[in-house]
Every structure is written in C-alpha cells, then in structure tokens.
Amino acid sequence: MNYSIIAIGDELLIGQVTDTNSGWIARHLTPYGWNVKSVKVVADDAAEIFRAIDEAFEQTDVILMTGGLGPTKDDITKPALCKYFGGSLVHDEATAANVLEVVAKRHIKLNDYTRAQAMVPSSCRVIQNQVGTAPIMWFEKGDKTLVSMPGVPHETETMMLREVIPQLIKKYDSDIDIEYRTFIVIDIIESELAMRLDAFERSLPTYMHLAYLPQPGIIRLRLSGASASAELVNADMDKYSQQLHALLGDNIISDQDRSLPEIVGDMLRKHHLTVSTAESCTGGNIAHVITQVAGSSDYFLGAVVSYANEVKENVLGVSSHDIAVNGVVSEPVVRQMVEGACRVIGTDCAVSTSGIAGPGGAVPGKPVGTVWMAAKCNDRVVAQCCHLPGDRNRVINRATTEALKMLYKLLRELD
C-alpha cells in the first residue's frame, strides 16, 4: 500500500522545529508493507494545504497529515480540512468530554481556546486523542482517506500505535506477506561493506532487497522480502540471514533493530555486571544514552563528569604528574579515569573519555576531534585514540558511540 505524508506548520519550514513525525510514521508502517511515496512540509496556509492534498491524492489513496491542530489562531488545519471535505464545524460531545478529562489529568485550567478543540468537521470521523486535546480526524472521499493528527510527536506516536495503524491495516488489508530483518554492523565503512556484499546482493531473489542505513560509527542493514507466500519469505529470510552472518562475522553485533546502548545493556544484564562512566569531553552524554534505555537501572550505577582537571585528580585519582607530562588528552589519563570510576562508584565496568570537541582547544599534535577513551570490564582495560570529524556535537556523539563499542567488545569476550 502506498501513502503520502503531509506535515503542516510554519515552524517546520523555517527550521524552528524539526519534523520527526514523518520519519517515525514511515518506520512504523514499513513493516506492514506500506510504502511512503512522498513527504511534504507546508505552511499554515489553506491554499498550500489544499494544493498539497490534491498532489498527494494524485499519487496515493491515503494521506497521513500531522500538525496545525493546536488551540491557537495560527493553527488552521481543522477549518481548512472542513472546507476541503465539506460540512461545517460542529461541537462534538465525546471530544469535549475527552478534552475535559485530559485537562483534568494535567491539572491545568480549561480556557476557551482549549474548549474549542471540541469543534470538529461534520465530514470526519473522530478518533479521541487519549493523550492530548486535539482530536484525530479521519476523512474519506470516495476511495481516498486522509487522517489528520496532532503535530506533538508523543501524541501522534501514541495514537498511531493504539488506533490509526490498526484501523488502516484493517481497511486496506493485503495478501502480501512482508518480512524484515535488521542487522547492526560495526567497524566497516559503507562502501567497503557494499563491496563485500556485492555478490550476496546479486544473488537475492527479485522480491528481496538489502538496504543500507548508515549513521556515524554504525550501519543498519535491513533485509526485506515481500511475497504472497509467507512460507517462502520466512524460509529465504532464514537462508540469507545465515549467509550475512557468515560473510560479516563479528561485524554484526545484533540481528534485531536495537540501539547500541540497548545491545550493551542486554550484555551487561546477561553477565550480571554493572557499569559507570567517567566523562570529560562527552560531558555526560554516554551516561545519558545509557539511561535512555528502559531498565538501565539494572546495571548503570552512576557517572563522574570530570570536566576540570581538579575533578579528575581529586575524585577519580588521576595523577597530576601524568596530566603534566602527557596532557589531559592522553592514554594514561583515560586509563586512570576508567579505573577511578569503577573504584569510586563501585562498578564492574566503566568507560572514560578525554578529548577536544572543538571548535577551539586544539594543541600541537592534537587537533580538534582528538579523543582518547578507555573501557574496563572486570580486570581488563583497553584504550584507544580516535580522530573524529565534524562539529562539536558530532564529535561528542561519535565519541559516545566509539566508547560504547569498546565496552561491547570487552563484554563479547565473556561469551
């Protein structure tokens, strides 16, 4: 099934807010065999909205629209859709009751603008928003469907999973079986990976496809297949998945679509180990991504953000002599930092970083992007120096990834 996405909002066009809804929608509909044909961002302007809808309906039978449903005057999606599909804005008692319930849960006062969220086009079917005041509106015109949802990501994601996706799948049922396998790959660049898998890709049946989804330090490989025979798809998925493992070996760290912090967390939990971080240039970012994982309290105990040398020395026990002789961005320093984290926080494992994230701070022999890092697991400690490209945020994020990869490799030795 093909569909289009329209994201509405002046704030999206000027870059004040990033459209994350479109990517989320595509990722969650793809496993059902739904293919997004276009994504368009339009202004809060009725004529632009009408034009986007017409263009999308020329390509697809389904439009998923987000944004422009807030309680303020600049959010015009609701009256625009009312004009496009016909009818009039009417007071919906069920929506009014839902608004009152949501407002009460948030312990805020109901005002006229929020109360007006209960006004909906008579031409739509309302799906009550269980986590917000803006209703989801389902429009049908002949064999065409448009679903209008809030721009707030949490609301869109929740209601897509609970209501919208199940109803779309039911309405547009397909006899095609779609299967996906995702492999997380490290320590190989995309071009080299493509060369290694050239013959493998050419051997795939016509109904199967391999997609490369790179991000700094990691590549997600997605093997997909679509056929009327579920038995055939599953059998070939198993066959070609085994071939990928044989070709890539330890480069594959997971055959599920999981983040690196999730993978590391599962390994820590498996071996009943705890972890901490000692961070300088990454400023606590490693601790942040670890604790983004639900259940990370099972293994993560704490962090020392030792930005200043005094903290490295007084808290983590780094030698002032080694800092003076080798510099703070050096192997001896990160090794002592990782040992200090385990000692001070009382963990089995730790990672540490010390580097130059930029844009300033470079010294002779150590340009911006130079990061020393160490990882410790039980009695084993490893360290490495990376020269990472990009701006400050990119260096911090890539250093975070590289440090977690080091820890992953130490944990893999325990298997």
Side-chain angles (χ1 to χ4, degrees):
M1 185 67 194
N2 296 326
Y3 68 101
S4 302
I5 298 176
I6 299 175
I8 298 175
D10 293 338
E11 68 279 7
L12 302 177
L13 285 172
I14 64 176
Q16 188 176 28
V17 175
T18 301
D19 171 31
T20 60
N21 285 325
S22 297
W24 187 95
I25 290 169
R27 287 194 301 274
H28 285 76
L29 277 176
T30 295
Y32 296 97
W34 284 56
N35 303 306
V36 59
K37 297 297 289 184
S38 67
V39 177
K40 186 163 188 178
V41 179
V42 301
D44 290 296
D45 179 88
E48 292 298 322
I49 293 173
F50 293 167
R51 186 177 297 110
I53 294 174
D54 286 338
E55 291 174 355
F57 273 151
E58 287 179 4
Q59 289 186 299
T60 61
D61 291 336
V62 176
I63 298 173
L64 299 180
M65 179 179 288
T66 64
L69 298 180
T72 55
K73 292 181 180 179
D74 62 332
D75 288 312
I76 65 164
T77 301
K78 191 186 298 183
L81 291 175
C82 185
K83 185 176 181 180
Y84 187 92
F85 287 96
S88 59
L89 288 174
V90 298
H91 184 270
D92 183 75
E93 291 294 338
T95 303
N98 184 74
V99 169
L100 286 172
E101 183 179 348
V102 171
V103 168
K105 287 179 180 178
R106 294 178 178 177
H107 302 288
I108 58 177
K109 185 178 179 180
L110 180 66
N111 57 44
D112 289 342
Y113 282 159
T114 305
R115 188 179 287 109
Q117 294 282 49
M119 300 296 293
V120 300
S122 58
S123 49
C124 79
R125 174 169 63 87
V126 176
I127 299 173
Q128 298 304 334
N129 184 350
Q130 299 164 18
V131 289
T133 59
I136 288 83
M137 298 176 294
W138 185 295
F139 297 87
E140 294 187 358
K141 195 172 187 178
D143 59 352
K144 307 288 188 179
T145 298
L146 183 149
V147 184
S148 175
M149 297 171 287
V152 180
H154 167 64
E155 296 180 22
T156 295
E157 293 168 11
T158 300
M159 296 312 299
M160 280 285 294
L161 291 174
R162 292 183 184 179
E163 297 288 346
V164 177
I165 290 178
Q167 292 189 36
L168 287 172
I169 300 305
K170 183 178 180 180
K171 179 176 174 62
Y172 297 96
D173 191 21
S174 172
D175 59 357
I176 299 298
D177 188 72
I178 310 292
E179 293 293 335
Y180 291 87
R181 302 276 175 89
T182 301
F183 305 85
I184 309 302
V185 180
I186 63 171
D187 294 343
I188 184 171
I189 62 174
E190 185 180 8
S191 57
E192 182 181 341
L193 180 62
M195 290 178 61
R196 190 182 300 185
L197 297 180
D198 178 62
F200 170 83
E201 288 193 72
R202 286 188 278 108
S203 73
L204 290 173
T206 55
Y207 72 87
M208 296 187 74
H209 175 69
L210 187 67
Y212 296 74
L213 309 169
Q215 60 189 79
I218 292 177
I219 298 174
R220 292 162 60 227
L221 279 178
R222 189 184 68 215
L223 184 64
S224 60
S227 171
S229 171
E231 183 178 352
L232 174 64
V233 173
N234 284 316
D236 277 349
M237 273 289 170
D238 289 340
K239 171 185 173 182
Y240 289 104
S241 294
Q242 291 172 8
Q243 289 186 19
L244 273 176
H245 274 283
L247 288 166
L248 299 179
D250 286 343
N251 290 117
I252 295 179
I253 65 173
S254 177
D255 54 7
Q256 298 180 38
D257 193 2
R258 296 182 299 161
S259 69
L260 182 57
E262 288 177 311
I263 295 168
V264 170
D266 284 347
M267 296 186 75
L268 288 164
R269 189 181 287 111
K270 173 184 175 181
H271 293 290
H272 307 288
L273 298 172
T274 55
V275 69
S276 58
T277 69
E279 304 182 55
S280 186
C281 64
T282 49
N285 195 58
I286 303 175
H288 170 69
V289 301
I290 290 174
T291 55
Q292 287 289 96
V293 178
S296 56
S297 58
D298 291 346
Y299 45 82
F300 182 76
L301 299 192
V304 176
V305 181
S306 53
Y307 217 63
N309 289 352
E310 292 82 1
V311 178
K312 294 180 180 69
E313 297 170 14
N314 298 332
V315 177
L316 296 174
V318 177
S319 165
S320 58
H321 176 266
D322 285 336
I323 291 178
V325 172
N326 302 289
V328 70
V329 181
S330 63
E331 180 174 0
V333 169
V334 292
R335 282 182 174 272
Q336 292 173 61
M337 286 173 66
V338 82
E339 294 279 9
C342 287
R343 182 179 63 255
V344 171
I345 301 175
T347 56
D348 308 297
C349 306
V351 293
S352 65
T353 59
S354 183
I356 306 167
V363 296
K366 295 177 182 178
V368 169
T370 303
V371 181
W372 268 99
M373 56 192 71
K376 183 177 189 296
C377 183
N378 295 327
D379 295 328
R380 181 130 154 72
V381 179
V382 293
Q384 69 175 12
C385 181
C386 294
H387 298 281
L388 308 175
D391 61 14
R392 184 177 182 83
N393 285 335
R394 187 175 176 87
V395 169
I396 289 172
N397 289 330
R398 182 63 185 273
T400 296
T401 296
E402 295 303 321
L404 287 175
K405 283 162 59 176
M406 290 176 67
L407 179 58
Y408 164 81
K409 292 173 185 177
L410 287 180
L411 291 166
R412 187 170 60 189
E413 294 176 1
L414 303 177
D415 290 341

